[in-house]
């Protein structure tokens, strides 16, 4: 059984606040809080989310007798994003990241996917000038870290 608990409020088509959204199914839980607002042609957002004990094979069973089907799976992750951009820029994700208008961080906490231990971090952070880390791509610097415990 899947349960959804949602506490949100909006103001016309210009503002939405999700104070808390929680989705549970057995031991798995997904949580989200977010703020989204529009002023003229600019959208501003901030969101944080979390997965706890998520088993993706419930939603995507995979091929019979595959490692995916056998599991086990137990994902734990945290996500945060924020930014401000025009409607036109939002329709062009690559330009959105290059503009420095948004940032994103994903942390995969110690987890198991198809029986394999997994953890890591992904960060997309605005950089307004080229650097040693991002000499050719002004506007965004990506960093990733992955490890198996």
């Amino acid at each position: 059984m899947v349960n959804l608990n949602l506490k949100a409020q909006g103001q016309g088509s210009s503002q939405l606040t999700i104070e808390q959204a929680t989705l549970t199914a057995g031991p798995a839980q997904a949580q989200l809080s977010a703020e989204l607002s529009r002023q003229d042609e600019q959208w501003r957002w901030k969101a944080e989310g979390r997965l706890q004990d998520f088993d993706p094979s419930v939603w995507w069973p995979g091929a019979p007798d595959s490692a995916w089907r056998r599991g086990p799976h137990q994902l734990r992750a945290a996500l945060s994003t924020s930014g401000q951009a025009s409607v036109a820029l939002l329709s062009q994700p690559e330009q959105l990241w290059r503009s420095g208008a948004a940032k994103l961080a994903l942390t995969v906490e110690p987890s198991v996917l198809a029986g394999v231990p997994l953890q890591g971090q992904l960060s997309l952070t605005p950089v307004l000038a080229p650097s040693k880390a991002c000499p050719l791509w002004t506007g965004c610097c990506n960093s990733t870290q992955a490890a198996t415990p």
Side-chain angles (χ1 to χ4, degrees):
M1 178 158 77
V2 176
N3 293 311
L4 173 63
N5 182 8
L6 177 64
K7 185 176 181 183
Q9 58 184 352
Q11 185 176 358
S13 62
S14 64
Q15 187 174 352
L16 173 65
T17 301
I18 300 173
E19 294 176 32
Q20 183 179 15
T22 304
L23 184 65
T24 57
Q29 186 176 70
Q31 297 177 319
L32 174 71
S33 62
E35 296 178 20
L36 176 66
S37 62
R38 184 186 74 191
Q39 186 172 21
D40 299 322
E41 290 297 310
Q42 291 287 312
W43 284 96
R44 184 180 305 225
W45 70 91
K46 181 178 180 181
E48 295 185 3
R50 178 174 260 336
L51 280 180
Q52 191 70 30
D53 299 328
F54 179 69
D55 181 354
S57 68
V58 171
W59 304 94
W60 304 284
D65 199 35
S66 65
W68 182 264
R69 176 75 61 95
R70 287 188 300 275
H73 307 285
Q74 191 174 42
L75 293 177
R76 296 181 182 100
L79 172 77
S80 66
T81 181
S82 63
Q84 178 177 334
S86 68
V87 172
L89 194 55
L90 288 172
S91 67
Q92 301 172 31
E94 183 178 338
Q95 292 302 319
L96 174 65
W97 294 115
R98 285 182 183 218
S99 73
K103 64 182 181 177
L104 174 93
L106 172 66
T107 300
V108 177
E109 298 162 353
S111 298
V112 177
L113 185 64
V116 177
L118 175 70
Q119 69 182 43
Q121 295 180 322
L122 168 69
S123 178
L124 300 173
T125 306
V127 174
L128 300 179
S131 67
K132 287 183 180 181
C134 303
L136 301 176
W137 195 17
T138 302
C140 184
C141 184
N142 303 331
S143 68
T144 58
Q145 296 178 343
T148 54

